[in-house]
Amino acid sequence: MSHSPSLLGLRVLWLCVFLLFPALASATPSVTIGRFGPGTVDGTAPFNVLGSCADTADQRIDGEDCGEGNGVVRTQDSVSHIWSITADGYDPGAPNLKNVVLEQTITPSTNAVIQFDSLPVACTPKAGGGTTPASAIVDNGSGSWKLTCNLGEFSEGQQKSLTVNVKISGKSWNGSDYTSSQRVYSMADDGVTENATGATYADVGPIKISAQPAYDLVHSINTTHGFYNADTGVRAVKDLNGDGVINTADNEAGYYTYSLIRLAAARKTGIEAVNQPIVFKDTFKATALAESGADFPLEFYVTECRDNPSQWGGEVFGSKSYYPSFDNGSYKYHALNSGTCQLVRDTPTDPTSVAFTATLNNVDLSGTHYPTLGFGGVDYSAGLIMPPITVCSSSFLSALSI
């Protein structure tokens, strides 16, 4: 049987329509990543603190940072990576993507120490973030870190922005740097299959790291600060009875008094870490009758050297382990970790000798936390106070000396 040309054409048309339907059904949504606003803010004010910058784009280092977009950041400071994530290309009526994920990897050069500050709030289930995969920060080894941020559900054309902060450790060397690579993808509920066309964004950096020596070593709040308190006590510090051992049989009365040693700087960022152990000379001085009196050969002993556990005026706790509930757990009065301290008498056989060799070690100089207040309401927020180390020295005076 023959068919009219018009009927044959209609069948061809319907065949074409049917063949088009599978192609339309297989359209894949896409997720993209780009900068939001400035994109990268490398460092925080104040800038040009050393007064050496020609302009805000100047890339000089050695403790300086000339602007927030010049590719330079100081140690103890942060870099903000600000991202815009978008999903589109959905078929009409297609379900939303449930797990749109930003993956960012930061890689340091030799002698750079960096880390993600924390997971952005947008990555958490409380803010609508997804769970497949779970948001996390993972140590890749060799100083590199990967942030996985599951931003959760996206509808057609939806955009979300977030800020990822990278902290620059005080242990980083001047002139070192880091780079950041990033991509975005969408994960199916099976946790294996990507169900959208993903995208990458060009590497950011290298961002150069700037630092210079800036620490001062002082006794407490100034270079000649005296001692706190004069508490009476009883202690055995030498073999009084000649039996070859020092024990309670050798107890004698004396005074306990205390001084502090501090590493400090008048700035918060761009401070070069000090090689440890830190070794220096500490000299004690005693005078008769008055501070301006003649030198006095006082018999005394340094019985302990430790991080500061006391609330002396203007000081801070030497470790966050002391009284963690103090000031409602703010840690504004706490150094992070003052490490260990040792004082050794240069002439141990002479109890009146005044010269000691001091050794500080394992002091945390990373800059991840600093106290902002000292006891008595002293404000350290504008500058920087490093961990104080308490030197507890005990003076024992005989009746003849008194």
Side-chain angles (χ1 to χ4, degrees):
M1 179 185 292
S2 63
H3 298 281
S4 67
S6 60
L7 183 59
L8 181 61
L10 182 61
R11 290 183 175 180
V12 171
L13 175 62
W14 277 108
L15 179 61
C16 291
V17 171
F18 290 148
L19 289 175
L20 284 174
F21 280 162
L24 292 173
S26 65
T28 303
S30 62
V31 289
T32 58
I33 178 174
R35 291 177 178 237
F36 185 83
T40 300
V41 178
D42 47 45
T44 55
F47 299 106
N48 194 24
V49 296
L50 304 179
S52 61
C53 299
D55 53 47
T56 58
D58 194 331
Q59 289 194 316
R60 69 185 63 234
I61 50 176
D62 300 324
E64 188 67 281
D65 187 1
C66 298
E68 65 179 21
N70 62 336
V72 173
V73 62
R74 290 166 291 202
T75 53
Q76 296 102 0
D77 205 352
S78 297
V79 177
S80 295
H81 298 271
I82 311 170
W83 301 114
S84 173
I85 312 299
T86 306
D88 53 28
Y90 292 37
D91 279 338
N96 292 339
L97 298 176
K98 302 295 186 182
N99 295 285
V100 175
V101 181
L102 165 68
E103 183 181 282
Q104 182 171 354
T105 300
I106 52 175
T107 304
S109 70
T110 302
N111 300 321
V113 181
I114 57 172
Q115 189 173 356
F116 289 110
D117 192 29
S118 62
L119 274 174
V121 174
C123 310
T124 63
K126 186 176 182 180
T131 57
T132 307
S135 297
I137 295 173
V138 177
D139 184 355
N140 294 330
S142 302
S144 174
W145 294 83
K146 182 176 73 174
L147 178 143
T148 299
C149 173
N150 191 329
L151 292 163
E153 184 173 355
F154 275 64
S155 59
E156 162 69 24
Q158 185 173 358
Q159 181 271 344
K160 294 183 182 182
S161 59
L162 73 156
T163 299
V164 178
N165 292 316
V166 176
K167 183 71 175 179
I168 311 303
S169 171
K171 298 177 181 179
S172 297
W173 288 23
N174 182 56
S176 60
D177 60 60
Y178 84 94
T179 58
S180 173
S181 60
Q182 40 281 321
R183 72 182 185 108
V184 65
Y185 62 93
S186 177
M187 183 63 68
D189 290 338
D190 63 9
V192 177
T193 308
E194 293 190 17
N195 58 357
T197 301
T200 60
Y201 189 85
D203 287 358
V204 177
I207 295 176
K208 294 194 293 184
I209 297 173
S210 174
Q212 71 168 188
Y215 290 125
D216 291 319
L217 183 66
V218 296
H219 261 291
S220 194
I221 56 177
N222 58 58
T223 56
T224 58
H225 195 271
F227 289 83
Y228 290 104
N229 287 20
D231 304 326
T232 58
V234 175
R235 191 181 185 115
V237 293
K238 60 182 177 180
D239 183 13
L240 286 177
N241 58 17
D243 64 357
V245 295
I246 300 175
N247 53 29
T248 55
D250 302 300
N251 279 351
E252 57 180 322
Y255 295 98
Y256 286 99
T257 188
Y258 314 87
S259 71
L260 286 94
I261 297 169
R262 179 187 292 162
L263 281 174
R267 53 190 294 188
K268 291 181 178 180
T269 58
I271 304 169
E272 189 172 75
V274 180
N275 289 332
Q276 298 190 54
I278 304 165
V279 181
F280 57 92
K281 293 295 183 182
D282 197 15
T283 302
F284 297 81
K285 181 180 178 65
T287 57
L289 302 178
E291 185 176 347
S292 59
D295 289 352
F296 183 83
L298 178 70
E299 181 180 334
F300 72 98
Y301 302 84
V302 174
T303 60
E304 184 181 24
C305 186
R306 59 179 294 180
D307 51 354
N308 180 38
S310 304
Q311 298 179 40
W312 309 116
E315 304 295 347
V316 300
F317 291 126
S319 170
K320 291 180 75 173
S321 64
Y322 291 117
Y323 312 105
S325 62
F326 187 85
D327 193 46
N328 296 317
S330 70
Y331 291 108
K332 294 178 181 178
Y333 296 84
H334 292 75
L336 181 58
N337 184 353
S338 296
T340 61
C341 172
Q342 183 181 38
L343 260 74
V344 177
R345 199 170 219 143
D346 291 357
T347 310
T349 58
D350 180 4
T352 66
S353 62
V354 298
F356 288 73
T357 297
T359 303
L360 312 182
N361 203 10
N362 298 316
V363 182
D364 194 317
L365 302 177
S366 65
T368 55
H369 170 80
Y370 293 123
T372 57
L373 289 173
F375 303 118
V378 179
D379 185 4
Y380 291 124
S381 61
L384 164 65
I385 175 172
M386 286 306 299
I389 308 292
T390 299
V391 180
C392 302
S393 60
S394 304
S395 301
F396 294 91
L397 310 181
S398 67
L400 180 60
S401 298
I402 293 174

